[in-house]
Amino acid sequence: MKLTILGSHGPYPGKDGACSGYLLENNRMNILIDCGNGVLSRYQRYYDLRDLKYIILTHFHSDHVSDMMVLRYAVDIRMRKGDIKEPINIYCPNEPLKVLDDLNFNGVFKLNIVDEKTKLKIDNLLISFEKMEHPVLTYAVKFNDGKKTFAFSGDTMENDRIIPFIKSCDVFLCDGNLLGDEKGPHLTARRAAEISKAADCKKLIITHLWPQHTTDEYFNEASKVIQDVIIAKDFEVYDI
């Protein structure tokens, strides 16, 4: 598996940035995880939209799904032209209903509702989900190819489900939006590092970065817990 950071900011993009979007490649198949502001353009640096078969949406906040509203028009037009033959498979929560309704557009997406009991197999990837804590229904997602495991927290606050879910994973991509004593519906960089360490994860990548904080600030806080922590950087590629 190979992970490319398409967008790492939240809840809005900084200058030249993009919101949450991650490209997971496995053999000749790719999965887009979240599709926030700016992600659709960046995806097309790597693949044509005809190659976009699977999208996982961890939750329906706009910094994770806003480009889906543009993608629906692109797919609709290209399906009418015969350029795209089949709808894109979307795996997502079932609420808020208004966003789900917005995604139900001219048959361009095949909507598949997930919950913590969902087990998927796409190609040789086994994919599972766990409910997190956030103002809207949100899921962490985990991928296993039979050899390695990659997990993404989605957006989350503190909860007792995350450590068992990510236990011993090879790469853990984690929401660490906050610093110090900042409050909000996210983890701090330090807490993300503590969770990764408690779960015996081999590599931690902190993402969902507040644009007005520097990567050095995130690194300095998290590295007090894990020395080799990685702060997500757009277009960086990580082997899993």
Side-chain angles (χ1 to χ4, degrees), residues 45-140:
R45 293 189 181 201
Y46 303 90
Y47 293 102
D48 189 273
L49 293 182
R50 287 172 296 185
D51 302 311
L52 183 53
K53 307 295 185 184
Y54 305 100
I55 301 175
I56 293 174
L57 302 174
T58 60
H59 66 292
F60 285 162
H61 274 161
S62 59
D63 56 334
H64 291 252
V65 301
S66 61
D67 267 16
M68 294 294 294
M69 305 311 161
V70 180
L71 178 61
R72 63 182 182 173
Y73 295 129
V75 177
D76 182 44
I77 292 169
R78 293 183 66 170
M79 287 182 78
R80 291 175 186 272
K81 291 178 176 291
D83 190 29
I84 292 178
K85 306 297 185 183
E86 298 178 347
I88 299 173
N89 292 284
I90 311 296
Y91 302 91
C92 61
N94 63 354
E95 57 179 73
L97 186 58
K98 181 182 184 304
V99 181
L100 193 66
D101 287 342
D102 286 340
L103 293 174
N104 189 16
F105 179 80
N106 288 356
V108 300
F109 300 139
K110 182 180 179 181
L111 301 177
N112 303 275
I113 303 304
V114 303
D115 59 27
E116 58 270 24
K117 297 179 182 178
T118 301
K119 305 292 183 185
L120 303 176
K121 185 173 183 182
I122 299 176
D123 196 27
N124 69 324
L125 289 181
L126 298 178
I127 306 171
S128 55
F129 300 83
E130 184 59 80
K131 183 180 177 183
M132 294 288 104
E133 293 297 326
H134 203 52
V136 299
L137 181 60
T138 302
Y139 291 101

Side-chain angles (χ1 to χ4, degrees), residues 4-54:
T4 302
I5 308 296
L6 299 182
S8 58
H9 284 170
Y12 67 93
K15 182 178 180 296
D16 299 323
C19 287
S20 293
Y22 311 96
L23 177 61
L24 185 66
E25 297 172 85
N26 181 62
N27 298 325
R28 293 184 298 274
M29 181 268 297
N30 70 85
I31 298 174
L32 180 61
I33 307 168
D34 287 343
C35 192
N37 174 269
V39 169
L40 181 58
S41 173
R42 291 179 168 192
Y43 173 86
Q44 293 174 91
R45 293 189 181 201
Y46 303 90
Y47 293 102
D48 189 273
L49 293 182
R50 287 172 296 185
D51 302 311
L52 183 53
K53 307 295 185 184
Y54 305 100

Side-chain angles (χ1 to χ4, degrees), residues 109-226:
F109 300 139
K110 182 180 179 181
L111 301 177
N112 303 275
I113 303 304
V114 303
D115 59 27
E116 58 270 24
K117 297 179 182 178
T118 301
K119 305 292 183 185
L120 303 176
K121 185 173 183 182
I122 299 176
D123 196 27
N124 69 324
L125 289 181
L126 298 178
I127 306 171
S128 55
F129 300 83
E130 184 59 80
K131 183 180 177 183
M132 294 288 104
E133 293 297 326
H134 203 52
V136 299
L137 181 60
T138 302
Y139 291 101
V141 56
K142 182 168 60 178
F143 305 81
N144 183 279
D145 67 357
K147 296 179 180 178
K148 298 291 185 70
T149 302
F150 163 62
F152 172 42
S153 68
D155 285 4
T156 190
M157 297 178 282
E158 187 74 28
N159 67 83
D160 59 6
R161 296 179 295 278
I162 187 167
I163 290 176
F165 184 66
I166 66 169
K167 188 71 176 176
S168 300
C169 71
D170 294 279
V171 175
F172 176 39
L173 179 67
C174 187
D175 168 16
N177 178 260
L178 306 176
L179 291 175
D181 59 358
E182 290 177 337
K183 304 298 182 184
H186 300 275
L187 298 171
T188 64
R190 180 182 182 90
R191 189 62 189 131
E194 290 171 344
I195 288 170
S196 181
K197 185 175 182 179
D200 295 320
C201 298
K202 295 180 179 64
K203 181 183 294 184
L204 169 65
I205 306 171
I206 291 178
T207 192
H208 205 277
L209 311 175
W210 175 253
Q212 291 179 297
H213 291 324
T214 68
T215 55
D216 283 347
E217 288 177 294
Y218 283 109
F219 180 81
N220 290 339
E221 180 170 312
S223 63
K224 294 175 182 177
V225 180
I226 299 175

